[in-house]
Structure formats: structure tokens, C-alpha cells
Amino acid sequence: MEYDIFFVPKDLTQPTYTGAFISVCCCVFMLFLFLSELTGFIATEIVNELYVDDPDKDSGGKIDVSLNISLPNLHCDLVGLDIQDEMGRHEVGHIDNSMKVPLNNGHGCRFEAEFSINKVPGNFHVSTHSATAQPQSPDMTHIIHKLAFGEKLQVQHVQGAFNALGGANRLQSNALASHDYILKIVPTVYEDLGGKQRFSYQYTVANKEYVAYSHTGRIIPAIWFRYDLSPITVKYTERRQPFYRFITTICAIIGGTFTVAGIIDSCIFTASEAWKKIQIGKMS
């Protein structure tokens, strides 16, 4: 004897193969929907929004910068970092938290630096300006391994231009050319489920190459990073579906599946009984 899952008084039921088949299908369907909802409840959703504000007000008006660049044809003694901005800062040969690693048997240099900039338009550039003696033909061809601002964000499902210049290769450029990278920096906030916020910065970039001459007529190339800040802040927030909504959805799945399955079973049974009556009428 076969039974289906529609539990009603026994004297009002009539077990059928159709009812059993529909019952099994309903169980499989409900299990699939339950697992789908459970996966959605466990998973974390990341919502993004835009607003106008300075999110990191406790930074003292500073932005941390991380720069890693290789100049394979310029000696480390000649490489320097200069910083200037619209607040009057003008620093030539910045050396704090910086490191130079010789490349190509000392003919090249890998320059790494950690420093901060003010939250106003300005620039920082890698050049030979701080060298005690200027070279005759400085070669500024380079590879940028990393240029990032603010805290490092490694969050799954968050795609952004946090290191837009990473991998930029200018080894085939004119050796005496200056390089201008024009950056638009966008403040970015990431807030996890616990409410903890991390502050980083994305940026867009445009670039150009040109040959620059000094007032003496000499060519003194440099690698310029000219930046400006966007007033728009991007915020990513981790969210999870509330438990009450999960329970409500599960109840709706169970109730809705039983109701629809009951209607389908009833229609099939009624049609089957009517067909049997028609066949009996023809035989008689």
C-alpha cells in the first residue's frame, strides 16, 4: 500500500501512485529550496553605496602611500623621491621608510617607500633631483609593481582599482622621457559584519610621456604622480539576511509547496476518475 504526504483523515484518503509520485517530487523540491535559502542565509552579502564625506576624519588629514618601482637602467645613488602639494610642502629626497635594492649588477634600482601625503592636490615624483651630481643621460624607463593608498583591502567579491598602476611597464619608452601619471583618488570604506571599518583608496589613472628641458637646456626626466581627491566616497558594507526572514521564507516554501502539490494531485485524481467513468459508460 502506498501513502503520500498529505496527511488527512484516513477514511477520506485514497492512496494512488500519482499522489506518491507528487509527494516525492515535493520533498525533493522543498529540499532544494531549503538548501538554496540556507546557502543564501549563511553567505555574506556586500552592499555598496556612494556619498559625499571625508570618511577617515581621524587620519589627521593624511593618506598613507605605498610605492614599489623598478628602474633597471638608473643607479640607486641617483634615485630619489620628491613630494610637494598645495599646502606648501616641498620635500626633495624623501628617505624615511624607503629602501633601494640594486638591480642588473648595480646598474639599476628597485625603489620601495612608505610615506604619507596631505589630503590636498599635489604630486610626488621619482627623479634624480636630489642626487649630488646629475647624470648626463638619465634613463627613466621603469616598471611599477605597486602604488596603493590607505589600508590594504583583500576582501573577496570586492573588485576595485586599489592598485591600478600595478604592473605598468614602460621599459620600451624613450629613455629620456618624463612620465606623468594623473591620479583621481577615491576614498573607500569597508565595514564588516562586526561594524569595524577599514579605510582605503581606489584611484583612476591617465598618463602621458614627454621630453622636459630644464632652464639650462638639459633634459631632466622624472616619473610624476599628480593626484587629486574625489569628494565622493565609496562604502562597502557586509550584510547577512535576518534570521526571521529566513524562517518566514522556509515556512512560505513548505506551505506553498503543499498547497500547489495538493491542487495538482486533486486535479489529476479528478480527471482520472472522470476518465474512468467515461470508459465504463462506453463499455456498458
Side-chain angles (χ1 to χ4, degrees):
M1 183 177 293
E2 299 182 44
Y3 297 92
D4 58 39
I5 60 175
F6 303 104
F7 299 104
V8 294
K10 189 172 182 179
D11 57 338
L12 298 179
T13 65
Q14 181 176 347
T16 63
Y17 288 105
T18 303
F21 176 75
I22 293 175
S23 297
V24 172
C25 290
C26 286
C27 289
V28 173
F29 183 66
M30 284 190 294
L31 179 62
F32 169 74
L33 292 181
F34 172 77
L35 293 177
S36 298
E37 285 298 322
L38 181 62
T39 302
F41 173 71
I42 295 175
T44 300
E45 178 187 12
I46 297 179
V47 180
N48 63 76
E49 59 182 312
L50 303 176
Y51 59 93
V52 179
D53 193 13
D54 178 11
D56 191 10
K57 296 182 176 66
D58 297 329
S59 65
K62 302 286 186 179
I63 300 175
D64 293 329
V65 184
S66 178
L67 175 65
N68 188 332
I69 185 172
S70 288
L71 299 95
N73 301 307
L74 193 64
H75 196 279
C76 282
D77 291 341
L78 302 173
V79 177
L81 176 67
D82 310 326
I83 308 171
Q84 56 190 43
D85 60 34
E86 293 187 359
M87 291 184 67
R89 181 181 184 182
H90 191 179
E91 187 175 346
V92 178
H94 180 88
I95 59 173
D96 293 338
N97 298 319
S98 63
M99 179 175 64
K100 299 178 183 180
V101 180
L103 300 175
N104 299 337
N105 297 320
H107 296 291
C109 186
R110 181 171 181 139
F111 181 71
E112 301 180 28
E114 303 280 345
F115 57 98
S116 62
I117 56 176
N118 294 315
K119 291 184 178 180
V120 295
N123 74 77
F124 51 92
H125 52 278
V126 177
S127 68
T128 62
H129 298 166
S130 61
T132 53
Q134 293 298 313
Q136 291 298 320
S137 299
D139 187 336
M140 301 304 291
T141 54
H142 61 276
I143 299 175
I144 300 174
H145 306 287
K146 178 184 179 181
L147 176 61
F149 301 87
E151 293 184 53
K152 184 177 182 180
L153 289 182
Q154 285 186 330
V155 182
Q156 194 175 15
H157 306 308
V158 173
Q159 302 296 326
F162 296 99
N163 185 23
L165 275 174
N169 188 323
R170 300 293 182 266
L171 296 181
Q172 304 303 319
S173 301
N174 181 353
L176 295 177
S178 287
H179 301 264
D180 255 13
Y181 295 102
I182 299 140
L183 315 176
K184 177 66 78 171
I185 300 175
V186 182
T188 304
V189 183
Y190 186 87
E191 183 176 319
D192 60 22
L193 288 173
K196 181 181 178 181
Q197 292 186 337
R198 284 181 282 172
F199 303 96
S200 187
Y201 296 84
Q202 303 181 61
Y203 62 93
T204 59
V205 59
N207 69 283
K208 64 179 180 178
E209 296 180 21
Y210 58 93
V211 177
Y213 294 88
S214 69
H215 62 279
T216 60
R218 293 183 57 188
I219 299 176
I220 305 180
I223 304 170
W224 297 81
F225 301 93
R226 306 182 192 274
Y227 61 88
D228 194 5
L229 272 76
S230 170
I232 301 297
T233 294
V234 179
K235 183 177 183 180
Y236 298 98
T237 307
E238 285 187 355
R239 292 180 184 173
R240 183 169 289 165
Q241 179 181 342
F243 183 70
Y244 72 85
R245 186 177 298 173
F246 171 70
I247 294 298
T248 302
T249 304
I250 296 302
C251 292
I253 289 173
I254 296 174
T257 303
F258 270 102
T259 301
V260 173
I263 294 173
I264 294 174
D265 185 47
S266 177
C267 291
I268 293 175
F269 179 77
T270 302
S272 175
E273 291 298 309
W275 177 254
K276 288 179 181 179
K277 290 180 181 179
I278 292 173
Q279 295 299 318
I280 294 174
K282 287 182 178 181
M283 292 178 63
S284 61

